[in-house]
Amino acid sequence: MAQAAEPPTDPLPQTIFSPDHLVKRGWCTVARDKQCAPAPHKLYYELHGEDKPTSHRLVFTMGLNNSSFAWHNQVSYFATLPGYAVLVFDNRGVGWSDTPPGAYSTSEMAKDVEELLDFVEWTEPRSLNLAGVSMGGMIAQELALLIPERIRTLLLTSTMSGSRFTLPSWKAASMFLRLSSGTVRTPAAQISLVTATLFPEAYLETEVHEEGEYKGKKRREQVQADFLRRYHIGRRQSARGQLGQMAAVMKHRVSADRLAKLASAVPHTAIIHGTDDNLIHVQRAHELHKDIPGSRLKIVENAGHALPSQIRDEYNAWIRENVEREE
């Protein structure tokens, strides 16, 4: 059972999320068991919306090298809906969470989340709707196998099981190599590289039609401004955190047998993936769908890896449709 962290010596960090629907935020100490990490560490979390046992409880798990702030399009939507509660957190090794030493694993990181859920007392059977993107989807698979009795809906975005050997795309490998080598030095250059990898070029060249300061400008400018905003609000990820999380992705393996077990233990699983994903090929989604009998599969044409941002409204509607579906 996770315990409350010691009162921080520093004030709570600046956050991207609105205080209007905030329930609580802070740190939770996890991994007191030596099998989960070399030493206990703290996870930063925020809970928004209507925190009631009868609410639709959404747990959002972020991907590689990205903080919980990347869920701002989902938190701002679901936390304002009647009957919804939203939990977001920074994985170990990124954001305002601690960075323990060593190579991480998705099973260890899932245990972190279980202890956080215990801490916020989200423990009722079939009460959780678990959404994960990319590495977060890998953690979500392990968490669903760890606490299947608590999960009602598993929502897997731009992710894979790792059960089949695949080589990363050249575009993905190039981005990670350049970022980790330090050859891309300025925040603007880093954000430009990440943007070009996470989003299809055709999308970035389209014009923004929504009202606001970016109306009439290219999507690329809007996307990069959003990254830069989060960059300056958040905390820089250390090299140790980058390598630790990368190790978790590289080691991730959930076999077809374990996925079949997941399918029988979790009532609803839905999978969404873009056809133009440069990081995880869309074929991985078809494999997940095959290996999780009864799962729903949605393939989004002309969409890249960052679906929560690129197709914000469609993605939020997809989550809501699956969370509110009848038994």
Side-chain angles (χ1 to χ4, degrees), residues 4 21-22 25 36-37 48 61 79 96 100 103 123 126 141 173 184 186 209 219 222 235 250 267 289-290 294 308 327:
H21 38 65
L22 174 68
R25 68 186 183 110
C36 299
H48 292 259
T61 310
W96 295 107
T123 57
R126 300 290 178 243
Q141 293 165 47
V184 185
T186 68
H209 297 293
R219 286 283 178 193
Q222 183 186 45
R235 183 169 66 175
M250 298 300 292
H289 178 52
K290 177 182 177 182
E327 294 290 347

Side-chain angles (χ1 to χ4, degrees), residues 149-219:
E149 69 286 349
R150 295 196 214 177
I151 311 298
R152 183 182 186 275
T153 309
L154 177 63
L155 301 157
L156 300 174
T157 306
S158 307
T159 194
M160 63 182 183
S161 69
S163 62
R164 297 166 177 84
F165 176 75
T166 57
L167 290 171
S169 70
W170 167 247
K171 199 164 187 178
S174 176
M175 180 190 72
F176 289 123
L177 284 171
R178 292 176 67 189
L179 290 174
S180 61
S181 68
T183 56
V184 185
R185 297 183 180 279
T186 68
Q190 293 169 1
I191 287 168
S192 178
L193 175 60
V194 170
T195 297
T197 308
L198 295 184
F199 297 88
E201 182 67 20
Y203 169 77
L204 295 173
E205 286 299 307
T206 59
E207 183 179 308
V208 176
H209 297 293
E210 304 96 272
E211 293 297 329
E213 63 177 305
Y214 294 100
K215 184 176 181 180
K217 299 179 180 178
K218 295 289 181 69
R219 286 283 178 193

Side-chain angles (χ1 to χ4, degrees), residues 264-286:
S264 65
V266 173
H268 307 298
T269 298
I271 302 158
I272 189 169
H273 213 111
T275 57
D276 297 351
D277 190 328
N278 289 317
L279 268 68
I280 299 177
H281 194 275
V282 67
Q283 181 59 31
R284 307 290 83 77
H286 290 285

Side-chain angles (χ1 to χ4, degrees), residues 8-9 11 32 34 45 47 65 70 82 107 126 138 143 149-150 164 192 200 208 213 223 254 259 281 287 296 316:
T9 55
R32 295 176 184 272
K34 291 290 186 182
Y45 75 94
L47 200 163
N65 302 338
S107 58
R126 300 290 178 243
M138 302 174 196
L143 183 61
E149 69 286 349
R150 295 196 214 177
R164 297 166 177 84
S192 178
V208 176
E213 63 177 305
V223 168
V254 178
L259 289 174
H281 194 275
E287 293 164 359
R296 290 179 170 184
N316 290 346

